[in-house]
Amino acid sequence: MLKSDFSYELPKELIAQTPIEPRDASRLMVLDKRTGEISHHIFHEIEAMLRPGDLLVINDSRVLPARLLGVREGTGRPMEFLLLAEKAKDCWEVLVRPGKRAKIGSRFVFGEGLLRAEVLDILEGGNRLVRFEHEGLIYNVLQQIGQMPLPPYITEKLKDPERYQTVYSKELGSAAAPTAGLHFTEGLLRKIEEKGVGIAKVTLHVGLGTFRPVKENNITDHKMHSEHIYLPQETADAINRTKQNGGRVIAVGTTSCRTLEAAGQKGLPIQAFEGCTDIFIYPGIELKVIDGLITNFHLPESTLIMLVSAIAGRENILRAYETAVRERYRFFSFGDAMLVI
């Protein structure tokens, strides 16, 4: 299977630059994964498409303000850091720009001295291992001087940083938002629960590997990035109960989907799980846990469009994307949503 099998033409003006207000006023395409039938809705209407006894599984990860703008000690030359993952106390894997200024031993200053950094190592792929120096907790410092790490295709400034967080975000650790959840409001979640639909939480801290292109022509040669996941016992029990009672398990976002299917690899019934996963889901991979997916519209030839194609079939997904372009849906992180069921 070739990466070109997952390509489509997207006019640049359909890449959403700002979020819709209110959150649940975005458009919603519903795709029947069995028939390929498509219907068009507003996101807040999703409550009518869920049944009592269904279970929504959400990712409660919260985005770090992980973009840091600073200077190199001694020269004052500008430098940008993007924190990716904490490897040990105050030691982080970091994406740096420009990389030539970040040699081993180089030191940098951020926030007029609130945060200092030294490059310890150059990792495979070019990222740096950096040790930070600061007073108090680094997360408090990041809240003061860090910026939201918006994807590179979003060029407009975000007025309210909370619009790049879900209303249920809790666990700090992501380098990017689990964007399918951005469409939910607290009021809509209450209506869904009142209908008898369960809501369970998992945690997957989104890494920048989400945005890395597939370079290999044969997609099975692609090595997926690894991300930390946590599926608590309470969620495992809710999934197993839903399955036993004939309800549907619907993942909110590809991150929740990857978490559930990674746990499902260990067999059913689902058990609580914490660790890392590099699961790569594409057509032909058997899905063991989820019955449906709420997601956004993804980049051509990305691992994310491959994932949704595994659920609904490549032909159905490409036809749905062609329809979305024709109907002027908004694409990517701040764009519209799709329910595959």
Side-chain angles (χ1 to χ4, degrees):
M1 193 170 294
L2 303 179
K3 70 175 182 178
S4 58
D5 292 335
F6 301 89
S7 184
Y8 67 93
E9 293 296 324
L10 178 67
K12 187 176 180 180
E13 66 269 19
L14 295 185
I15 300 174
Q17 295 295 313
T18 55
I20 286 285
E21 296 293 347
R23 291 173 182 260
D24 59 1
S26 55
R27 297 171 73 186
L28 174 68
M29 176 185 287
V30 177
L31 172 64
D32 187 314
K33 64 184 180 182
R34 296 173 186 82
T35 67
E37 182 181 352
I38 291 169
S39 58
H40 305 283
H41 308 268
I42 304 300
F43 192 83
H44 62 76
E45 297 173 346
I46 198 168
E47 177 255 338
M49 295 147 202
L50 303 173
R51 306 171 188 156
D54 285 347
L55 180 71
L56 290 184
V57 181
I58 61 178
N59 179 7
D60 66 358
S61 183
R62 186 167 175 83
V63 185
L64 283 168
R67 183 171 178 252
L68 295 169
L69 302 178
V71 297
R72 182 171 176 174
E73 274 190 3
T75 68
R77 290 185 174 179
M79 173 61 79
E80 179 180 343
F81 277 19
L82 186 60
L83 279 61
L84 300 180
E86 188 172 21
K87 298 301 185 181
K89 181 173 171 53
D90 291 330
C91 290
W92 289 72
E93 181 179 351
V94 174
L95 177 67
V96 297
R97 296 192 188 98
K100 63 183 179 181
R101 294 182 189 160
K103 297 180 173 60
I104 295 175
S106 300
R107 293 184 59 84
F108 301 89
V109 181
F110 304 90
E112 298 182 346
L114 284 176
L115 191 64
R116 297 179 183 273
E118 180 182 355
V119 178
L120 301 180
D121 198 5
I122 299 176
L123 306 176
E124 183 180 355
N127 293 340
R128 269 51 171 184
L129 182 66
V130 171
R131 180 174 60 232
F132 287 104
E133 303 162 10
H134 53 88
E135 295 290 332
L137 297 174
I138 190 170
Y139 297 104
N140 293 338
V141 178
L142 291 175
Q143 294 291 348
Q144 293 181 64
I145 65 174
Q147 299 180 14
M148 277 294 160
L150 295 179
Y153 49 74
I154 294 177
T155 57
E156 292 195 24
K157 186 174 177 61
L158 182 62
K159 294 179 181 178
D160 178 8
E162 279 301 308
R163 285 302 274 109
Y164 197 56
Q165 306 277 16
T166 63
V167 296
Y168 47 75
S169 64
K170 180 181 178 183
E171 302 295 335
L172 270 172
S174 277
T179 54
L182 295 179
H183 304 281
F184 285 97
T185 65
E186 291 175 349
L188 178 57
L189 289 169
R190 279 195 302 272
K191 285 182 65 178
I192 288 170
E193 285 189 293
E194 288 167 359
K195 185 173 184 175
V197 176
I199 297 177
K201 295 180 180 180
V202 296
T203 304
L204 181 147
H205 291 315
V206 187
L208 274 199
T210 296
F211 302 109
R212 285 194 184 130
V214 176
K215 295 180 179 179
E216 295 79 6
N217 286 326
N218 186 334
I219 67 170
T220 59
D221 294 332
H222 176 70
K223 180 172 174 54
M224 196 70 175
H225 56 286
S226 181
E227 293 168 312
H228 183 267
I229 62 175
Y230 172 55
L231 191 154
Q233 187 62 51
E234 182 181 5
T235 296
D237 292 342
I239 293 168
N240 295 329
R241 188 166 55 248
T242 300
K243 291 288 190 183
Q244 290 166 4
N245 294 335
R248 301 175 299 181
V249 175
I250 300 169
V252 178
T254 58
T255 57
S256 296
C257 173
R258 292 184 67 234
T259 302
L260 296 177
E261 293 302 327
Q265 286 186 321
K266 299 182 178 298
L268 300 176
I270 292 293
Q271 303 294 322
F273 178 80
E274 183 168 15
C276 290
T277 183
D278 60 358
I279 188 171
F280 181 20
I281 300 173
Y282 54 87
I285 298 295
E286 180 186 0
L287 298 169
K288 298 181 178 180
V289 182
I290 75 161
D291 302 295
L293 176 71
I294 299 168
T295 188
N296 283 19
F297 292 91
H298 303 294
L299 278 73
E301 299 185 353
S302 65
T303 59
L304 303 180
I305 193 172
M306 294 169 190
L307 183 153
V308 295
S309 295
I311 299 169
R314 186 183 70 89
E315 293 79 8
N316 284 342
I317 289 296
L318 290 180
R319 193 180 311 113
Y321 273 54
E322 289 172 4
T323 302
V325 169
R326 187 170 63 250
E327 297 293 329
R328 311 295 288 178
Y329 275 70
R330 302 165 80 247
F331 279 67
F332 305 164
S333 293
F334 285 144
D336 295 315
M338 171 189 283
L339 170 62
V340 181
I341 199 72

